[in-house]
């Protein structure tokens, strides 16, 4: 047949009947997720890193496994809904409606390796990428309603896709020059295939008709060696660009359309989301006792695609444009916030990504971190919509567990990327499913995407991470199995690899490593679900000092000033709450070049967030006094608190202005920990905490303030405490005033790992 541009695909269309939001959401022509299907009467994981293509108004679909480069199945119908980001269910996956698929494949490679074998030879069967010498998934192009997948097979570039035309499902290839034959898997049936003499037609005993069309001399259909019930396509070696098409249909002869030049759809096509939506933001004012105002960047919750806007990552493209990703796989741009917020412009620029909870912009390029990979997005024709979804790095190994979220995306000064990944928590939160090598880790990816390293193991559910100005790496953490409470993890590159506490996800890398104690433990009232961390940049006046860390609490929708205290080689810290009121959880934060702090978060799991999602700007109002504690030092005999304000001397010197208590936790296999006495340890209770849950145990030791002395600078006060000693949580409540009579009421929570020698 003569090659032509005739090539039909379609985009997800809106449903006409009343439906839940996820049934109405127009995901786009492709959707990356983990999918389940039915194979030989049994449910199975169809693809851990799957890409589902809609071949026409949700009437016909084809699923591509990006790890094995195989088309899993093509079928009429859509999906049975499941999955935590969609239905909220724990453990139930999105399942294909493929009871009678047009074709289906067993769990093997989509292309034969150099020996001619289709067998799964990956180091961990069922998980991870094929060896690079065998095959690599490079990404896919979107051109309007068309999706073209780009692979590399045995060193040869291969473009491929599927379409559904006049009742026939058609697979299309364009292959670059080849130094050896390429064998592509097509379908498996229950009996031996009948083939025409020239290998252009095939039929199964169950009535699946297959027809081949190609401009490659010698291309043919043939049974797989030693597997007469499996049909493969042979594309012979050659120096030409080859076009191949295979049509499949049950019960009737399959028909091919004209051959398709797939590279014509790799230049950028018509936009699928051309509409620009506008919203009006609002500027806030500082609340009583606060020096920070919170502005609302109003979201386009009502949008033509019914997109559920739960933003989980963002970064700035320029001073007036931010790019944000949603849990359900969208990427949006917003601009206009540098003016008066009266006209914020929103544009949906990408869709169909896999639980995208991290964004980083590097040299103008947008990188989005999802559960399956880091994707680099390309706008090939300058229309603001992304045309090429490049697989930048996809080394991370995943399973089908609902809870092993991949969080955040940050870079260091050298351009390396960082993200963190949770462990496969079982439904209900206790214990874990089968652990794989990348569960519970902090990962580092080189600037070119070619090198993947593990810097830390032993995470449970980190929520986010940060990379400090000197390369420090931090993460949040959630209470649970082997994690007594939430905490802030902290380590430097020279300390890596480190083990962060969850024994099942220790991994061989940290087999001999001791438990790396956190920077600070956080009781549930402070943080019951951790988020990211962010540092105040150099030259920014935010009311905090340059280089200070801010910790985000997803669960408490709060920001905390982190006040480190170094004793020799030991780094420990106290936190105090920054007085701002957020409209949703605090999940991600970045400083803008104007010195303001942008914060976003959504409501997806345990949080007190009052609204489903919010994107907010926090401004420091210099006319208001900063009444926070500035730093906290632990001494051999007590604590020194430093403030930005000069203190009223009478109150500062009064021991009754302070209330102090301390307690410890137990780290063990039980879910979380109670709070136990430091001064009078109950050995039986501590032993029981390793065998049973102890959340109701709350034994705090009151700590007497022997004296309080205002420093000569008027802004610091030294507290002498009775029996100062290390503890996992030291709580200090204070009730003070500055010289202008402003109330300074607050609390600090610190972890005391070491004390300096007494002078």
């Amino acid at each position: 047949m003569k090659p032509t541009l005739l090539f039909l695909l379609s985009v997800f269309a809106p449903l006409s009947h009343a439906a839940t939001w996820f049934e109405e959401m127009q995901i786009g022509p492709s959707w990356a997720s983990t999918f389940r299907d039915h194979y030989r009467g049994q449910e199975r994981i169809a693809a851990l890193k799957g890409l589902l293509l809609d071949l026409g108004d949700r009437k016909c679909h084809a699923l591509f496994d990006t790890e094995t480069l195989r088309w899993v199945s093509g079928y009429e119908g859509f999906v049975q809904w499941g999955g935590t980001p969609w239905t909220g269910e724990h453990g139930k996956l999105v399942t294909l409606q493929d009871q009678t698929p047009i074709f289906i494949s067993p769990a093997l490679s989509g292309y034969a390796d150099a020996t001619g074998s289709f067998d799964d030879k990956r180091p961990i069967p069922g998980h991870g990428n094929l060896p690079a010498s065998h095959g690599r998934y490079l990404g896919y192009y979107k051109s309007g309603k068309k999706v073209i997948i780009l692979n590399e097979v045995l060193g040869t570039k291969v473009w491929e896709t599927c379409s559904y035309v006049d009742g026939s499902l058609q697979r299309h290839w364009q292959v670059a020059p080849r130094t050896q034959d390429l064998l592509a898997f097509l379908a498996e049936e229950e009996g031996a295939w009948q083939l025409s003499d020239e290998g252009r037609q095939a039929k199964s005993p169950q009535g699946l008709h297959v027809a081949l069309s190609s401009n490659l001399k010698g291309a043919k259909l043939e049974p797989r060696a030693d597997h007469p019930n499996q049909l493969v396509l042979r594309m012979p070696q050659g120096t030409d660009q080859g076009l191949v098409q295979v049509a499949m249909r049950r019960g009737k002869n399959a028909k091919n359309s004209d051959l398709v030049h797939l590279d014509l759809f790799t230049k950028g096509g018509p936009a699928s989301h051309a509409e620009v939506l506008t919203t009006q933001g609002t500027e806030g004012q500082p609340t009583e006792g606060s020096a920070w105002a919170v502005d609302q960047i109003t979201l386009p919750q009502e949008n033509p695609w019914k997109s559920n806007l739960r933003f989980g990552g963002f970064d700035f493209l320029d001073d007036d444009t931010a790019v944000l990703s949603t849990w359900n796989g969208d990427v949006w741009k917003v601009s206009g916030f540098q003016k008066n917020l009266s006209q914020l412009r929103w544009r949906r620029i990408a869709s169909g990504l896999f639980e995208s909870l991290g964004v980083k912009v590097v040299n103008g390029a947008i990188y989005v971190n999802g559960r399956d990979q880091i994707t680099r997005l390309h706008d090939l024709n300058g229309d603001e919509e992304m045309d090429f979804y490049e697989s930048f790095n996809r080394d991370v190994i995943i399973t089908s567990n609902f809870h092993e979220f991949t969080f955040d995306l940050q870079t260091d000064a050298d351009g390396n990327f960082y993200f963190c990944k949770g462990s496969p928590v079982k439904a209900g939160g206790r214990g874990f499913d089968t652990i794989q090598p990348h569960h519970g880790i902090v990962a580092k990816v080189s600037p070119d995407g070619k090198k993947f390293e593990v810097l830390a193991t032993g995470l449970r559910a980190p929520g986010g991470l940060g990379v400090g100005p000197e390369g420090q790496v931090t993460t949040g953490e959630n209470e649970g199995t082997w994690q007594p409470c939430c905490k802030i993890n902290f380590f430097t590159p020279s300390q890596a690899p480190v083990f962060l506490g969850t024994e099942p996800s220790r991994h061989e890398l940290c087999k001999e490593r001791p438990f790396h104690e956190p920077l600070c433990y956080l009781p549930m009232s402070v943080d019951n679900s951790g988020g990211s961390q962010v540092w105040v940049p150099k030259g920014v006046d935010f009311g905090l000092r340059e280089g200070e860390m801010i910790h985000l609490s997803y669960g408490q929708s709060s920001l905390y000033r982190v006040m480190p205290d170094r004793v020799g080689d030991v780094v420990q810290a106290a936190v105090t709450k920054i007085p701002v009121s957020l409209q949703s959880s605090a999940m991600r934060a970045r400083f803008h070049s104007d010195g303001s702090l942008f914060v976003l978060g959504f409501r997806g799991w345990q949080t007190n967030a009052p609204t489903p999602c919010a994107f907010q700007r926090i401004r420091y109002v210099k006319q208001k006094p900063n009444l926070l504690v500035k730093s906290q030092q632990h001494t051999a005999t007590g604590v020194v608190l430093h403030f930005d304000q000069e203190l009223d001397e009478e109150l500062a010197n009064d021991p009754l202005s302070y209330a102090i208590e301390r307690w410890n936790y137990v780290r063990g296999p039980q879910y979380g920990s109670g709070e136990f006495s430091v001064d009078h340890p109950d050995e039986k209770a501590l032993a029981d905490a390793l065998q049973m849950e102890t959340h109701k145990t709350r034994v705090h030791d009151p700590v007497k303030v022997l004296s309080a002395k205002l420093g000569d600078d008027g802004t610091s006060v030294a507290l002498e405490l009775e029996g100062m000693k290390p503890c996992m949580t030291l709580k200090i409540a204070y009730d003070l005033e500055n010289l202008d009579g402003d109330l300074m009421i607050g609390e600090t929570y610190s972890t005391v790992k070491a004390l300096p020698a007494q002078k």
Side-chain angles (χ1 to χ4, degrees):
M1 294 184 181
K2 182 180 178 181
T4 181
L5 292 180
L6 178 61
F7 182 47
L8 301 177
L9 289 172
S10 186
V11 70
F12 288 166
L15 300 179
S16 59
H17 64 277
T20 55
W21 70 264
F22 48 84
E23 292 177 306
E24 291 186 317
M25 180 174 170
Q26 298 176 44
I27 301 171
S30 61
W31 174 16
S33 188
T34 293
F35 296 94
R36 189 185 295 274
D37 72 352
H38 298 84
Y39 174 73
R40 294 184 176 179
Q42 301 292 324
E43 278 199 341
R44 67 170 181 176
I45 302 299
L48 289 170
K49 297 183 180 182
L51 188 67
L52 187 67
L53 268 60
D54 184 353
L55 309 184
D57 296 340
R58 288 188 174 178
K59 296 176 182 177
C60 186
H61 292 80
L63 176 63
F64 184 75
D65 182 351
T66 62
E67 291 187 308
T68 63
L69 310 188
R70 100 188 193 274
W71 289 93
V72 178
S73 68
Y75 64 98
E76 294 179 346
F78 185 37
V79 299
Q80 296 172 346
W81 286 97
T84 308
W86 304 94
T87 66
E89 296 169 286
H90 293 177
K92 183 178 179 180
L93 299 177
V94 179
T95 303
L96 308 185
Q97 292 176 344
D98 61 352
Q99 280 74 18
T100 307
I102 299 170
F103 74 86
I104 197 164
S105 302
L108 40 66
S109 300
Y111 292 89
D113 64 16
T115 70
S117 173
F118 287 91
D119 295 338
D120 187 348
K121 298 179 181 179
R122 291 174 289 175
I124 306 174
H127 300 273
N129 301 322
L130 296 176
S133 59
H134 181 180
R136 294 191 302 144
Y137 169 74
L138 302 179
Y140 63 91
Y141 296 87
K142 279 187 178 179
S143 180
K145 300 175 181 179
K146 305 171 182 64
V147 175
I148 311 298
I149 295 171
L150 176 61
N151 299 316
E152 185 178 84
V153 182
L154 302 179
T156 298
K157 291 287 178 61
V158 178
W159 296 260
E160 58 183 300
T161 192
C162 287
S163 65
Y164 188 61
V165 181
D166 296 333
S168 292
L169 190 148
Q170 299 176 356
R171 285 185 59 181
H172 309 261
W173 291 263
Q174 180 171 335
V175 294
R178 305 151 306 286
T179 59
Q180 64 187 93
D181 289 5
L182 301 183
L183 291 174
F185 193 92
L186 295 179
E188 178 186 79
E189 294 282 273
E190 293 182 8
W193 289 86
Q194 297 177 1
L195 282 86
S196 62
D197 292 340
E198 70 280 6
R200 311 289 283 191
Q201 303 282 337
K203 181 182 177 182
S204 76
Q206 289 74 46
L208 177 57
H209 295 257
V210 182
L212 168 65
S213 175
S214 176
N215 66 359
L216 285 178
K217 185 178 180 179
K220 64 178 181 178
L221 307 173
E222 60 184 55
R224 180 187 172 195
D226 301 324
H227 294 79
N229 66 323
Q230 297 179 353
L231 187 67
V232 302
L233 165 69
R234 182 178 293 273
M235 293 178 280
Q237 64 180 352
T239 58
D240 55 340
Q241 287 267 358
L243 301 179
V244 183
Q245 190 167 290
V246 171
M248 302 181 186
R249 188 173 186 178
R250 288 202 176 271
K252 294 183 180 180
N253 290 331
K255 296 181 180 180
N256 277 302
S257 305
D258 291 342
L259 291 173
V260 178
H261 285 277
L262 298 184
D263 61 344
L264 295 175
F265 303 100
T266 63
K267 318 297 182 184
S272 300
H273 325 113
E275 294 92 333
V276 175
L277 310 179
T278 60
T279 64
Q280 183 173 349
T282 58
E283 291 191 359
Q285 297 296 324
T287 57
E288 183 69 26
S290 177
W292 291 271
V294 181
D295 304 329
Q296 305 299 322
I297 310 298
T298 308
L299 310 182
Q301 295 287 10
E302 299 296 325
N303 57 80
W305 312 282
K306 306 293 184 180
S307 176
N308 189 356
L309 301 185
R310 293 180 292 180
F311 290 116
F314 81 101
D315 201 0
F316 298 106
L317 279 168
D318 54 48
D319 280 352
D320 196 40
T321 304
V323 58
L324 307 89
S325 67
T326 75
W327 195 20
N328 297 99
D330 275 1
V331 181
W332 290 70
K333 282 183 182 178
V334 60
S335 60
F337 49 78
Q338 277 291 81
K339 299 176 182 178
N340 58 10
L341 304 184
S342 63
Q343 191 173 40
L344 302 169
R345 299 176 69 255
W346 291 87
R347 175 82 186 270
R348 190 191 196 199
I349 64 171
S351 63
L353 296 171
F354 192 173
E355 296 184 27
S356 41
L357 294 176
V359 173
K360 184 64 183 176
V361 174
V362 180
N363 297 325
I366 301 170
Y367 297 78
V368 181
N369 189 33
R371 185 161 163 159
D372 55 345
Q373 64 180 25
I374 300 174
T375 302
R376 180 161 52 191
L377 297 173
H378 299 261
D379 177 8
L380 301 177
N381 57 6
D383 66 355
E384 291 192 79
E385 190 162 311
M386 299 299 113
D387 305 298
F388 182 43
Y389 293 59
E390 178 191 358
S391 177
F392 177 72
N393 182 279
R394 61 189 346 265
D395 291 333
V396 65
I397 292 172
I398 72 170
T399 71
S400 61
N401 177 270
F402 78 99
H403 200 277
E404 57 174 77
F405 307 109
T406 302
F407 293 107
D408 223 325
L409 191 61
Q410 306 290 349
T411 54
D412 63 17
D414 296 324
N416 297 294
F417 294 85
Y418 297 79
F419 65 86
C420 54
K421 182 173 178 59
S423 290
V425 176
K426 290 183 177 181
R430 281 131 178 97
F432 302 98
D433 287 335
T434 302
I435 297 287
Q436 296 293 353
H438 296 157
H439 283 143
I441 65 164
V442 173
K444 176 183 177 182
V445 176
S446 61
D448 61 4
K450 295 180 179 179
K451 185 178 180 181
F452 180 99
E453 298 177 73
V454 175
L455 299 185
T457 70
L459 288 171
R460 178 185 176 272
L465 86 166
V467 178
E470 299 175 1
Q472 316 97 307
V473 180
T474 60
T475 80
E477 182 58 285
N478 284 335
E479 177 195 56
T481 308
W482 288 104
Q483 298 294 346
C485 62
C486 290
K487 61 184 184 180
I488 304 172
N489 291 310
F490 175 99
F491 63 92
T492 62
S494 63
Q495 294 173 307
V498 297
F499 169 63
L500 300 176
T502 303
E503 291 292 345
S505 57
R506 175 184 281 274
H507 302 308
E508 187 67 25
L509 180 69
C510 291
K511 182 178 180 180
E512 304 300 329
R513 294 277 178 164
F515 170 45
H516 186 81
E517 291 278 357
L519 186 68
C520 187
Y521 286 102
L522 304 173
M524 294 289 280
S525 60
V526 174
D527 187 10
N528 62 328
S529 184
S532 299
Q533 297 75 43
V534 64
W535 277 259
V536 180
K538 186 176 181 180
V540 167
D541 185 5
F542 188 67
L544 310 181
R545 298 187 305 279
E546 294 178 359
E548 281 201 67
M549 185 202 305
I550 298 172
H551 171 70
L552 281 65
S553 170
Y554 174 92
Q556 295 293 330
S557 305
S558 298
L559 306 180
Y560 290 93
R561 185 180 204 171
V562 181
M563 302 173 287
D565 174 38
R566 182 180 291 274
V567 178
D569 294 332
V570 176
V571 183
Q572 54 203 9
V575 303
T576 191
K577 187 175 181 179
I578 298 173
V580 294
S581 179
L582 300 178
Q583 288 300 303
S584 195
S585 65
M587 193 170 190
R588 305 282 178 261
R590 293 193 189 278
F591 275 94
H592 190 270
S593 61
D594 66 4
S596 61
L597 179 68
F598 282 69
V599 179
L600 70 73
F602 66 82
R603 191 168 61 204
W605 45 90
Q606 187 176 12
T607 176
N608 66 359
T611 64
C613 184
F615 188 38
Q616 298 174 276
R617 178 176 65 187
I618 301 175
R619 293 176 289 108
Y620 174 53
V621 180
K622 299 178 183 179
Q623 294 81 6
K624 297 285 186 177
N626 179 358
L627 306 177
L628 292 181
V629 174
K630 180 167 64 176
S631 65
Q632 179 171 317
Q633 293 174 281
H634 303 96
T635 70
T637 58
V639 172
V640 179
L641 300 176
H642 299 264
F643 295 85
D644 284 318
Q645 302 288 309
E646 290 191 52
L647 303 175
D648 174 84
E649 183 175 8
E650 182 179 357
L651 288 173
N653 286 336
D654 185 355
L656 296 180
S657 296
Y658 312 90
I660 302 178
E661 54 187 355
R662 59 187 166 212
W663 61 89
N664 281 339
Y665 305 96
V666 173
R667 173 180 161 265
Q670 296 302 314
Y671 188 101
S673 172
E675 296 169 358
F676 298 90
S677 172
V678 179
D679 298 336
H680 308 286
D682 184 334
E683 298 300 334
K684 183 179 185 305
L686 295 173
D688 287 346
L690 297 173
Q691 306 298 323
M692 64 184 71
E693 294 183 15
T694 54
H695 294 95
K696 294 182 179 180
T697 300
R698 293 288 185 270
V699 182
H700 295 186
D701 298 319
V703 180
K704 185 177 181 180
V705 180
L706 299 178
S707 67
K709 182 174 176 56
L710 185 65
D712 293 339
D713 57 8
T715 62
S716 63
V717 57
L719 305 180
E720 182 184 1
L721 306 182
E722 185 177 47
M724 183 62 180
K725 64 182 68 171
C727 61
M728 296 171 82
T729 295
L730 179 69
K731 176 185 176 181
I732 301 176
Y734 57 87
D735 188 346
L736 304 171
E737 292 181 6
N738 65 7
L739 295 182
D740 293 327
D742 294 313
L743 295 178
M744 300 173 65
I745 300 174
E747 298 172 341
T748 70
Y749 295 83
S750 65
T751 293
V752 186
K753 296 186 281 187
L755 296 172
Q758 187 168 358
K759 296 181 181 180

